[in-house]
Amino acid sequence: MTKNTSYNAYQITGGQPVNGEIRCFGAKNFATKAMVAACLGNSPTTLTNMPPIGDVDITANLIKSFGAKVEWTDTNTLRIDPTTAKTHKVTTPDSRSNRLPILMLPVLLHNFGKAEIPRLDGCAIGERAVDIHESAAMAFGAEITVKRTCFVASTKGKRLKGTQFQLHYPSVGATETCLFLAVRAEGTSIIKNAAIEPEIMELITMLRAMGAIIFLSPNREIKIEGVPELTGTTMHAIGDRIEAASWAALACATNGSITVDGIRPNTLGNFLSYYRQVGGGFEYLAENKIRFFQARELSPIMLETDVYPGFSTDWQQPFTVLLTQAKGISAVHETVYESRFGYTKALNQLGAKIQLSKECLGAKCRFADHGHDHSALIMGKTELNAIDTPMEVPDLRAGLGYLIAAAVANGTTTLTHIERIERGYG
């Protein structure tokens, strides 16, 4: 693979096994949220194993926009000093390219009693509504006005109050918003139907180290005793399980061998079982070090994405590419986002045979009878071949799927808009 810097593209010559060793970066889905959490403290925080990716840069600019300090002290260590923050407004123009600004709402409300943040964009994979974040903030006592380009919120000079809040779906982002609202609110808060992804558990560990009082209960319930202030801390970013699974899919799809370092095997959960089921193999070489390979001829499977501990929606795209190399008909049912199969059109241009369906190919989910193409049938094994036309990367995870497809395909494939991949992969 080569990078053409003249027009921001990758040129990938595929058709050969991919072999090698790579170290996982710190998880994007933890690292960026840890940066936000650091702004809740009354002293600096040091974050290690931080990934040099686009979303970290965007988050740093977002934090700097209201006056806090962010600096790299070495190649993978960030120091965040929130004590210099001076405004309740997030003004950085590139903050709208991801969904992190909404997580700044609790920080600014705690620190200034008011907040103004831009309206949100992000990857085109479904509605990803933020109304649950707004509802949560209002439940804790904030007043919110939605304007054309921004959200404006205020506590009316009062401290946020603890509350009970039921999530209608265990959203990761909404759980993080509720945690940030609750840790410095007055009184006790209970978050029901909360997300329990490994990155959420790491975030709770970090908040506890800062002085938060958080209890985990069965049935996705989190209890928080609010404290007046939090202090800075030092935290090591967990390895990126999404990245690790992507390299695993790449190794298996190309019949190669890739050793991944820096990943806790337990965070991969059900991925490893599906990987074995389809024909992938893996072996533990050392602590946090796994070799992935193709163990046998690949077989078709049926899988559904789901919230943790289910099969992650961010594993779906690399795995769908892998299934094009399995002999038979596989089915993938997406239950987290309603519009996440748009990338398959480009895969079909390379030679894949993927048919989308509005039906639930599995258990009936919340998108049933809503007219969304949220299931896919993958007919394999198909030979993939490069096309002359450059392929535009639509979003982060689909882009990694394209990269794997290009590595499988015979010939040279050009991927453009690779900054969307580099948001999460350095």
Side-chain angles (χ1 to χ4, degrees):
M1 183 178 80
T2 60
K3 182 174 181 178
N4 188 326
T5 56
S6 62
Y7 65 106
N8 206 24
Y10 292 145
Q11 290 181 313
I12 303 166
T13 300
Q16 298 294 326
V18 176
N19 302 300
E21 183 169 344
I22 190 168
R23 181 172 181 83
C24 276
F25 288 131
K28 176 184 84 75
N29 289 342
F30 170 75
T32 51
K33 315 306 175 57
M35 294 170 70
V36 176
C39 297
L40 288 166
N42 60 9
S43 57
T45 284
T46 298
L47 301 172
T48 62
N49 196 37
M50 293 293 283
I53 58 175
D55 269 13
V56 167
D57 292 335
I58 289 171
T59 308
N61 289 334
L62 184 155
I63 291 170
K64 291 176 183 178
S65 75
F66 59 84
K69 292 181 180 178
V70 183
E71 61 177 343
W72 290 95
T73 59
D74 62 35
T75 55
N76 66 355
T77 302
L78 268 182
R79 184 178 187 272
I80 299 175
D81 184 356
T83 63
T84 60
K86 57 188 177 183
T87 178
H88 66 283
K89 297 181 180 181
V90 170
T91 58
T92 181
D94 65 1
S95 65
R96 297 185 72 234
S97 64
N98 69 15
R99 299 178 56 80
L100 283 160
I102 196 67
L103 294 181
M104 280 297 172
L105 180 63
V107 172
L108 298 174
L109 288 174
H110 286 311
N111 292 350
F112 297 101
K114 52 187 177 180
E116 184 174 317
I117 61 174
R119 297 284 296 276
L120 307 176
D121 294 330
C123 293
I125 58 176
E127 290 298 319
R128 305 184 80 178
V130 298
D131 59 333
I132 192 168
H133 302 262
E134 301 163 35
S135 298
M138 290 188 288
F140 280 85
E143 295 183 8
I144 296 181
T145 301
V146 180
K147 298 186 177 181
R148 185 178 63 85
T149 60
C150 66
F151 297 91
V152 178
S154 173
T155 64
K156 297 299 182 182
K158 301 177 181 179
R159 186 178 169 192
L160 293 176
K161 299 287 187 180
T163 189
Q164 292 194 26
F165 192 79
Q166 172 91 27
L167 302 181
H168 63 78
Y169 182 78
S171 157
V172 170
T175 299
E176 291 160 346
T177 289
C178 289
L179 281 170
F180 293 157
L181 287 164
V183 289
R184 284 178 52 189
E186 183 179 359
T188 301
S189 299
I190 296 177
I191 307 169
K192 297 183 178 181
N193 199 30
I196 56 172
E197 272 69 2
E199 295 81 10
I200 292 283
M201 296 299 103
E202 286 294 291
L203 191 62
I204 288 173
T205 296
M206 177 180 173
L207 290 169
R208 284 169 169 165
M210 296 175 71
I213 302 172
I214 303 173
F215 300 93
L216 299 174
S217 301
N219 302 320
R220 296 183 175 274
E221 190 170 289
I222 303 174
K223 179 181 176 183
I224 305 100
E225 300 286 349
V227 297
E229 60 181 7
L230 300 174
T231 61
T233 190
T234 297
M235 191 72 187
H236 185 82
I238 186 176
D240 197 320
R241 64 193 174 99
I242 308 302
E243 179 187 351
S246 300
W247 306 141
L250 174 62
C252 192
T254 64
N255 198 16
S257 172
I258 298 178
T259 297
V260 179
D261 197 2
I263 184 68
R264 298 181 196 168
N266 65 304
T267 64
L268 292 170
N270 286 347
F271 174 84
L272 296 176
S273 296
Y274 282 108
Y275 194 69
R276 284 285 193 197
Q277 192 177 38
V278 78
F282 60 90
E283 60 177 341
Y284 302 129
L285 301 181
E287 184 179 8
N288 297 341
K289 191 172 188 177
I290 313 174
R291 184 174 77 90
F292 295 99
F293 52 92
Q294 185 181 123
R296 57 171 172 79
E297 183 180 24
L298 302 185
S299 304
I301 64 168
M302 296 184 65
L303 69 84
E304 291 181 309
T305 66
D306 206 345
V307 295
Y308 192 84
F311 191 92
S312 170
T313 180
D314 287 338
W315 291 333
Q316 179 251 101
Q317 301 83 348
F319 217 87
T320 295
V321 176
L322 172 59
L323 291 174
T324 68
Q325 303 306 296
K327 187 177 180 180
I329 300 176
S330 298
V332 179
H333 181 204
E334 173 63 56
T335 73
V336 179
Y337 293 120
E338 74 275 23
S339 182
R340 211 163 195 191
F341 282 116
Y343 70 94
T344 60
K345 181 178 180 181
L347 297 184
N348 285 341
Q349 292 173 348
L350 295 177
K353 295 179 181 179
I354 302 174
Q355 181 178 332
L356 302 185
S357 173
K358 294 177 173 56
E359 303 300 320
C360 295
L361 299 182
K364 190 172 183 179
C365 76
R366 61 197 178 118
F367 303 135
D369 305 320
H370 282 68
H372 302 300
D373 285 327
H374 69 292
S375 292
L377 289 170
I378 302 104
M379 282 67 77
K381 175 181 180 179
T382 54
E383 182 178 276
L384 303 186
N385 293 288
I387 57 177
D388 294 334
T389 306
M391 297 171 61
E392 179 180 335
V393 171
D395 63 70
L396 169 60
R397 304 305 177 186
L400 207 285
Y402 284 8
L403 190 150
I404 295 173
V408 173
N410 301 308
T412 300
T413 302
T414 300
L415 303 184
T416 63
H417 290 75
I418 59 172
E419 71 280 357
R420 293 167 183 165
I421 295 178
E422 293 178 352
R423 276 185 49 204
Y425 300 85

